[in-house]
């Protein structure tokens, strides 16, 4: 049974005032981390985007209207991951109980081929898939938002939804301390990957409170406001994208842009302890991997094993090892590759996968060397519920922080580096240390495999949770742990999201723990069982909305960054 009072207390503890702007002394952000309300809720990675989503809901928009406004707002106020130059996935459940997913993932250009990231000796060249024009897939976000609008908008006022993002871009917004620091950190990447100065490298040093004005982006957003999808995929914006490709080493053509289509897909669903989990099918691995993880641990009394006990972390790490091995071998874009969905989610298969589980000893991922998973807060997730109970869970990305680090000149937005999510060569790790095979090789028009896991959870046919996370390969395990924290350990959403996280992805063969929140004795006991352990950085950045047992809506924004929840 959740208690209302501790939530309120936690809310005041976690509300972090923001008032030390050097350039703009009057400026202030409040990063609200937890909130309990009864009607509607928005949780995003930035307070401006959260406010914009909330305003749409107050103006009579539904969760889809708010999601569209938030997607464009994040493109302006959260350029590290918010985007119009990338793609994403949305899981949507309407108030009548119908669930659907929207795949607006980027696609490989028609001129792409399986060897495009190999040098003359057949070695993968990661720089080519991670930065600059060649790293970019055909963007899907604008088409995705246009499709969501056409099918579900209640407000029926596209211009109203785009206008706030234009104002952020044209008039500017104040950088948070984190944003300023990250832009300074990535300065060298912007210098290397742009032939002209951009708004991300035109200052010697950015500081908290700096007013970031993006006039070119404002013009692009105006074209989208006035012409919808065509404002991006045709006309002068498309010309700028193609010119950028020709000036650099890119291959996206006018025809690729014209041809881009997002796709409505049937969700992956599974039952876990009487809860229905609704998540993303391929080309995301998220839904399948989440299903496998939950099915593997369901026979165990996780609560009795104890939260963050040696036994429970060992079990979960062993589950993750097996699930990520399946991911590497079997998962890719199901429009191009016959993903063995039924096999992967078959209870007998899952049971068999754990038949060699030893509760006292770590197993060994085979000896092929894989790269290190880099700490990164790229990608961004938001969750929205409206007053009717329509629920959006949407994760969107340009892949790495600031994507390809290349701005389309004159159009002001960052290109994605999503092509790195393909397997450039079987067995060679990508930027997240993930390896892949035939299933995820580059093919023209194909979508690269993703780990994004936007998820909605039901109980007795009613929506009770909407959640997701950034974090590359760690997305799946972050979402999984928050669900287990709530369902098995009885935590509030706020506690579940704040709780420290750990991650295993088969290769590299190690459990990674967040730097803070785990006792050395726990880490030592797992080492003694044969696990390689590493304590480093932060893992994931979950946004979660949860209908608690009193029927109130609890919003939880991750304490790990500038994320903010608002509701009414
Ligand atoms: N770009 C990260 C992912 O889609 O998993």
């Amino acid at each position: 049974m959740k208690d209302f009072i501790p939530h309120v207390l936690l809310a005041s503890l976690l509300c972090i005032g923001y008032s030390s702007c050097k350039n703009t002394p009057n400026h202030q952000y409040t990063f609200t981390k937890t909130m309990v309300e009864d009607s509607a809720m928005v949780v995003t990675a930035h307070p401006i985007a959260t406010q914009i989503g909330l305003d749409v809901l107050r103006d009579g928009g539904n969760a889809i209207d708010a999601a569209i406004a938030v997607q464009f707002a994040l493109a302006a106020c959260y350029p590290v991951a918010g985007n119009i130059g990338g793609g994403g996935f949305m899981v949507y459940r309407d108030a009548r109980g119908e669930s659907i997913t929207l795949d607006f993932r980027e696609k490989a250009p028609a001129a792409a081929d399986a060897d495009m990231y190999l040098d003359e000796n057949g070695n993968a060249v990661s720089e080519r898939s991670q930065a600059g024009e060649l790293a970019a897939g055909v963007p899907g976000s604008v088409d995705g938002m246009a499709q969501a609008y056409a099918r579900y908008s209640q407000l029926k006022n596209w211009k109203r939804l785009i206008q706030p993002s234009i104002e952020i871009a044209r008039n500017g917004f104040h950088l948070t301390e984190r944003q300023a620091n990250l832009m300074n950190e990535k300065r060298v990447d912007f210098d290397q990957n742009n032939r002209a100065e951009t708004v991300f490298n035109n200052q010697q040093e950015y500081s908290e409170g700096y007013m970031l004005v993006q006039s070119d982006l404002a013009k692009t957003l105006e074209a989208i406001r006035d012409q919808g999808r065509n404002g991006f995929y045709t006309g002068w914006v498309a010309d700028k994208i193609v010119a950028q490709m020709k000036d650099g080493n890119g291959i996206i053509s006018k025809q690729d842009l014209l041809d881009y289509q997002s796709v409505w897909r049937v969700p992956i669903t599974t039952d876990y302890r009487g809860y229905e989990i609704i998540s993303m099918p391929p080309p995301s691995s998220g839904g399948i991997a989440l299903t496998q993880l939950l099915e593997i641990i369901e026979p165990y009394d996780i609560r009795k094993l104890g939260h963050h006990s040696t036994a429970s972390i060992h079990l979960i790490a062993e589950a993750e090892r097996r699930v990520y091995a399946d991911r590497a071998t079997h998962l890719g874009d199901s429009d191009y590759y016959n993903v063995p969905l039924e096999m992967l989610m078959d209870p007998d298969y899952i049971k068999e996968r754990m038949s060699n589980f030893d509760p006292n000893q770590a197993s060994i991922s085979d000896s092929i060397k894989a790269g290190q998973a880099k700490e990164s807060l790229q990608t961004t997730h938001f969750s929205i519920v409206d007053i009717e109970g329509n629920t959006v869970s949407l994760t969107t990305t340009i892949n790495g922080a600031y994507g390809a680090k290349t701005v389309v000149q004159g159009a002001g937005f960052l290109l994605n580096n999503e092509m790195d999510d393909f397997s450039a060569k079987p067995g060679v790790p990508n930027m997240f240390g993930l390896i892949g095979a035939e299933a995820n090789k580059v093919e023209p028009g194909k979508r690269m495999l993703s780990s994004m896991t936007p998820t909605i959870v039901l109980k007795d046919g009613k929506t009770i949770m909407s959640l997701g996370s950034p974090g590359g390969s760690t997305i799946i395990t972050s979402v999984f742990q928050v669900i287990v924290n709530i369902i098995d350990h009885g935590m509030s959403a706020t506690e579940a999201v704040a709780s420290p996280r750990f991650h295993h992805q088969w290769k590299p063969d190690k459990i990674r723990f967040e730097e803070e929140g785990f006792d050395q004795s726990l880490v030592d006991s797992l080492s003694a069982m044969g696990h390689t352990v590493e304590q480093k950085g932060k893992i994931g950045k979950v946004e979660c909305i949860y209908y608690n047992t009193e029927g109130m809506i609890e919003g939880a924004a991750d304490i790990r960054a500038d994320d903010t929840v608002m509701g009414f």
Side-chain angles (χ1 to χ4, degrees), residues 101-138:
T101 74
L102 178 61
D103 166 1
F104 55 99
R105 181 75 160 162
E106 301 93 322
K107 296 179 83 164
D113 68 67
D115 297 338
M116 67 187 280
Y117 298 115
L118 305 184
D119 65 14
E120 53 286 0
N121 301 318
N123 297 317
V125 185
S126 59
E127 298 78 44
R128 290 189 199 159
S129 62
Q130 292 181 5
E133 290 83 0
L134 193 63
V138 184

Side-chain angles (χ1 to χ4, degrees), residues 361-382:
Q361 186 64 38
S363 24
I364 300 167
S365 302
D366 81 33
S367 57
I368 297 167
K369 267 244 170 274
Q372 301 287 101
K374 287 185 192 161
E375 182 196 339
S376 176
L377 286 181
Q378 40 49 53
T379 304
T380 187
H381 177 84
F382 55 89

Side-chain angles (χ1 to χ4, degrees), residues 89 105 327 378-379 397-400 418 421 432 434 449-452 472-473 475:
F89 300 116
R105 181 75 160 162
R327 182 195 189 280
Q378 40 49 53
T379 304
T397 188
I398 39 178
N399 198 20
E418 218 71 62
D421 272 349
F432 304 115
L434 290 167
L449 185 62
S450 171
S451 298
M452 292 189 281
S473 55
I475 293 174

Side-chain angles (χ1 to χ4, degrees), residues 131 150 202-203 222 227 257 323 325 351 354 415 425 440 518:
N202 65 6
Q203 301 294 308
E222 280 167 354
Q227 297 162 59
L257 293 168
V323 166
K351 204 166 152 197
M354 285 299 273
L415 291 169
K425 184 178 176 181
N440 190 33
F518 292 96

